Amino acid sequence: MTARRIIPCLDVRDGRVVKGVRFLDHVDMGDAAELAARYRDEGADELVFYDITASPEGRTLDYGWVREIARLLDIPFCVAGGIRSVEQAGRCLDNGADKVSVNSPALERPDLIGELADRFGSQCVVVGVDSRREDDDWVVHKYTGDPDSRRLAGRSTMDWIGEAQARGAGEIVLNCIDQDGVRQGYDTAQLAQARSRLTIPLVASGGAGAESHFLDVFDRANVSGALAASVFHTGAIRIGDLKAFLAGSGVEVRQ
């Protein structure tokens, strides 16, 4: 496998980065551009920006904002937020994004995944999946950026990620809701099962609280990348220190 990726995630609302716990009770974490520049300088492999209220509000993200972020960065970045068409995705890419991520809009209209892959190539198409345990299965939720809009999507997580891959997704980001923001470690059981269903890259999201949690998810779930937010925003973990720890533990990372 190629070097594992460390990916800060920036949930953006009204131009500010926010962070919640299990997708609820969001608090302000700082300016999006300032945090992006900091992570660039610390050695992040790529960044992900989620406009968390775009889909619930029935809009897409601000292309001018994407362009401003692109001017700051010399590392890849992915954007998400209400992208419902090839035209909208193309404008994100034209303004400097390297990838687009679709979540609720793909659940509404799964053909969107194939349309994006056909037009831009699978390498540009990420499918985000917000998942939690319900009874004896992991199931998908949608519109998770707004607590009042969030609801079940009527999909089994494992079935949906398999379908997304078959439709042309180039990468899956699996957001484990029960672990989100609690800093108790990634859901390695769910992620390992997802990894066994996929041949495309899988990125873990939700639960990072210590450097050892990154090592654990790479070892136990064999994910391609690990995404985290609050531990980076607060400075609890510095990316350079994390990469040194992982390299010292035998994990291949980009220095």
Side-chain angles (χ1 to χ4, degrees):
M1 178 178 281
T2 57
R4 312 301 177 107
R5 289 173 283 149
I6 303 299
I7 308 169
C9 172
L10 296 89
D11 291 339
V12 179
R13 184 174 63 195
D14 300 324
R16 302 287 294 178
V17 175
V18 297
K19 187 69 186 81
V21 176
R22 295 174 175 146
F23 294 13
L24 300 171
D25 304 320
H26 291 90
V27 297
D28 188 279
M29 302 299 293
D31 179 76
E34 291 177 3
L35 285 171
R38 189 179 103 196
Y39 298 142
R40 173 202 64 200
D41 294 342
E42 285 186 7
D45 294 302
E46 59 188 78
L47 300 179
V48 176
F49 297 88
Y50 293 131
D51 184 333
I52 62 171
T53 58
S55 284
E57 292 176 358
R59 60 174 176 82
T60 193
L61 43 76
D62 181 343
Y63 306 119
W65 176 81
V66 175
R67 185 167 59 252
E68 292 301 315
I69 292 295
R71 288 173 178 162
L72 282 175
L73 299 178
D74 56 4
I75 58 174
F77 72 100
C78 177
V79 296
I83 297 169
R84 290 181 165 82
S85 70
V86 168
E87 188 270 338
Q88 290 172 341
R91 292 188 68 182
C92 291
L93 297 170
D94 288 344
N95 279 286
D98 298 276
K99 302 177 187 177
V100 293
S101 180
V102 290
N103 189 326
S104 299
L107 289 161
E108 295 167 359
R109 194 172 67 84
D111 285 347
L112 175 63
I113 301 170
E115 291 168 6
L116 295 175
D118 288 345
R119 176 64 179 85
F120 306 113
S122 291
Q123 78 282 352
C124 291
V125 182
V126 180
V127 172
V129 180
D130 299 329
S131 173
R132 75 180 306 170
R133 190 79 174 180
E134 304 277 352
D135 298 322
D136 295 325
D137 195 12
W138 288 293
V139 296
V140 181
H141 288 237
K142 60 183 178 180
Y143 303 130
T144 55
D146 180 356
D148 295 328
S149 301
R150 174 174 152 183
R151 59 182 181 269
L152 288 167
R155 295 272 193 164
S156 160
T157 299
M158 299 305 152
D159 289 345
W160 174 233
I161 63 173
E163 180 179 340
Q165 175 177 262
R167 287 180 176 274
E171 181 169 281
I172 301 291
V173 175
L174 184 55
N175 307 302
C176 302
I177 296 173
D178 289 325
Q179 275 64 39
D180 179 73
V182 301
R183 302 193 189 185
Q184 297 298 309
Y186 293 94
D187 186 346
T188 56
Q190 182 176 184
L191 289 158
Q193 185 167 332
R195 176 69 277 164
S196 71
R197 302 289 186 98
L198 298 171
T199 58
I200 60 176
L202 172 67
V203 174
S205 175
E211 291 177 345
S212 61
H213 294 155
F214 291 85
L215 177 61
D216 191 49
V217 77
F218 288 134
D219 282 348
R220 292 176 179 267
N222 196 30
V223 294
S224 304
L227 183 152
S230 59
V231 291
F232 294 145
H233 300 338
T234 62
I237 296 177
R238 297 289 182 181
I239 294 171
D241 295 339
L242 172 60
K243 286 191 168 185
F245 166 77
L246 291 170
S249 301
V251 176
E252 184 179 352
V253 292
R254 298 182 182 94
Q255 298 294 341

